[in-house]
Amino acid sequence: MFTHLDKNGRGQMVDISDKTDSLRHALAEGSISLKEETIKAIKEEKIKKGDVLAIAQVAAINGVKNTPSLIPMAHPILLSGINVDFDFKDKLLTCQVRVTCYGKTGVEMEALSGVAAGLLTVYDMCKSLDRSMEIKDIHLLEKLGGKSGHYKKNEDKEYTYGLLIVSDTRSRGENKDGVGEVFDQIMPTNYKLVYKNIIADDKEVIKKELIYLSDNKRIPLIFTCGGTGFSKRDVTPEASEEVFEKEAMGLADAIRLYSKDKTNAWMLSRAKAGIRKDSLIINLPGSPKAVRESIMAIISSLSHGLDILANDKTWH
């Protein structure tokens, strides 16, 4: 199903009400080929229309700010910052545009639009001197935030995860499980499910599975779903706590804070998150809807945390 088409097959702007606010960042780049005499004229400010780079920089900023007017389905965004850089490399003038905001949707299109507007302005100002100019290779270099987490060009890293569904009735086959389908739908494509099991609400069984997944299978990311409430059979947080070597309280808090805007039941969650060896273990609720919301609350920061845990990154 096309997300940008309504039931009548006509265009619509996607509803992002349920998305979580997070820091969004995008860096885009493009270039324009120039003759040597054109480069010389730009550097010496001898182009008749004025200071090419100064005007192109303003054009790039305007391109970022006017993206919703240019791209039909792009959302208007309250931008936090725009940075534009031009650099001469051989016979190319490269433009990089960095855009940031704190909101529900990303700023990739804004960064790309800024690059296009800046380079088109260079062409417009220099065309009387050089009509052979070519705008080329406009692309996204990096993005941060949202469901897909951290993307860096030529660094499409893959993460594996395991899933433990904790439920007496589902483990006995009395109730159908809908949680696995949610993970299939919502996890970024570079996250691969490598283990799934449905087990009873039994503290020792939960502990045994968590130890097996972290110590033997060495799965870097482990989700448990279910058993985080007030029922006498809800023992997932206790089982998890007994296998943790360190707590990761911020993740569990982030899920509760995100749920706070959606349900009063957020305060009844006893979910935990923690680390055992090289594995990050996160308790999630048992219902598919709550699982979806919980993943949305934390997905933008997971890759960074997993990289640090694996010693792939040491910066914080």
Side-chain angles (χ1 to χ4, degrees):
M1 181 179 177
F2 295 106
T3 58
H4 284 71
L5 297 180
D6 64 16
K7 61 183 181 181
N8 299 312
R10 299 188 180 94
Q12 67 174 356
M13 182 180 288
V14 174
D15 188 347
I16 58 172
S17 303
D18 288 337
K19 285 192 174 184
T20 182
D21 286 336
S22 68
L23 179 65
R24 313 278 181 153
H25 157 94
L27 175 64
E29 181 182 76
S31 60
I32 184 168
S33 62
L34 305 165
K35 292 179 179 178
E36 288 185 5
E37 54 264 37
T38 308
I39 293 173
K40 187 172 184 293
I42 292 172
K43 288 181 176 180
E44 295 177 357
E45 297 185 17
K46 291 183 177 179
I47 300 295
K48 292 181 180 179
K49 289 187 176 182
D51 187 335
V52 173
L53 297 186
I55 297 173
Q57 184 160 355
V58 174
I61 292 170
N62 281 340
V64 172
K65 293 164 69 176
N66 285 285
T67 299
S69 300
L70 300 169
I71 310 298
M73 304 307 174
H75 293 80
I77 298 173
L78 184 60
L79 300 170
S80 303
I82 305 168
N83 181 263
V84 180
D85 285 312
F86 286 97
D87 186 29
F88 289 101
K89 297 177 182 178
D90 298 324
K91 293 184 180 181
L92 293 176
L93 174 60
T94 299
C95 174
Q96 283 194 355
V97 176
R98 187 184 302 271
V99 184
T100 56
C101 82
Y102 189 83
K104 295 179 182 295
T105 189
V107 285
E108 299 101 303
M109 295 311 302
E110 283 71 15
L112 291 164
S113 296
V115 171
L119 295 175
L120 283 168
T121 299
V122 172
Y123 188 100
D124 176 59
M125 296 191 70
C126 300
K127 63 181 185 286
S128 62
L129 185 64
D130 183 0
R131 293 191 183 272
S132 67
M133 294 177 289
E134 290 184 24
I135 294 172
K136 56 182 71 177
D137 198 23
I138 296 177
H139 59 280
L140 183 69
L141 284 174
E142 186 178 16
K143 76 168 285 290
L144 180 70
K147 172 187 169 184
S148 57
H150 187 201
Y151 163 82
K152 211 167 186 179
K153 191 182 179 191
N154 300 325
E155 196 180 282
D156 193 13
K157 187 170 181 180
E158 188 174 284
Y159 302 91
T160 57
Y161 70 97
L163 177 58
L164 288 181
I165 298 162
V166 184
S167 168
D168 286 334
T169 57
R170 295 177 205 179
S171 66
R172 293 194 296 261
E174 296 172 10
N175 284 332
K176 184 180 177 182
D177 175 63
V179 168
E181 186 177 342
V182 171
F183 276 86
D184 290 341
Q185 294 170 352
I186 200 169
M187 290 297 284
T189 55
N190 61 324
Y191 282 77
K192 304 297 181 185
L193 178 65
V194 294
Y195 184 92
K196 177 184 174 183
N197 198 8
I198 302 177
I199 59 176
D201 289 283
D202 183 292
K203 186 176 176 183
E204 293 306 315
V205 172
I206 298 168
K207 286 172 58 179
K208 184 179 178 180
E209 279 284 288
L210 290 176
I211 292 170
Y212 170 67
L213 295 182
S214 60
D215 296 20
N216 298 97
K217 298 283 285 183
R218 298 185 179 276
I219 297 175
L221 177 61
I222 304 165
F223 292 106
T224 69
C225 296
T228 60
F230 278 17
S231 168
K232 290 181 180 179
R233 293 286 292 170
D234 288 339
V235 293
T236 303
E238 287 73 22
S240 301
E241 212 166 20
E242 289 188 20
V243 303
F244 289 164
E245 295 171 349
K246 296 179 182 178
E247 276 202 77
M249 294 177 288
L251 288 165
D253 289 344
I255 292 170
R256 278 187 279 270
L257 286 171
Y258 184 75
S259 300
K260 184 179 179 182
D261 294 331
K262 304 180 185 309
T263 174
N264 287 332
W266 69 274
M267 64 187 77
L268 303 181
S269 170
R270 301 185 305 107
K272 302 277 187 179
I275 296 165
R276 179 181 176 86
K277 298 191 182 303
D278 296 323
S279 298
L280 175 61
I281 301 168
I282 304 172
N283 298 160
L284 302 181
S287 79
K289 181 177 182 295
V291 166
R292 181 182 296 274
E293 293 172 356
S294 299
I295 295 172
M296 290 301 298
I298 61 174
I299 193 63
S300 63
S301 297
L302 272 186
S303 60
H304 179 53
L306 292 170
D307 287 344
I308 294 173
L309 189 57
N311 290 320
D312 286 350
K313 289 180 181 175
T314 55
W315 47 271
H316 297 266

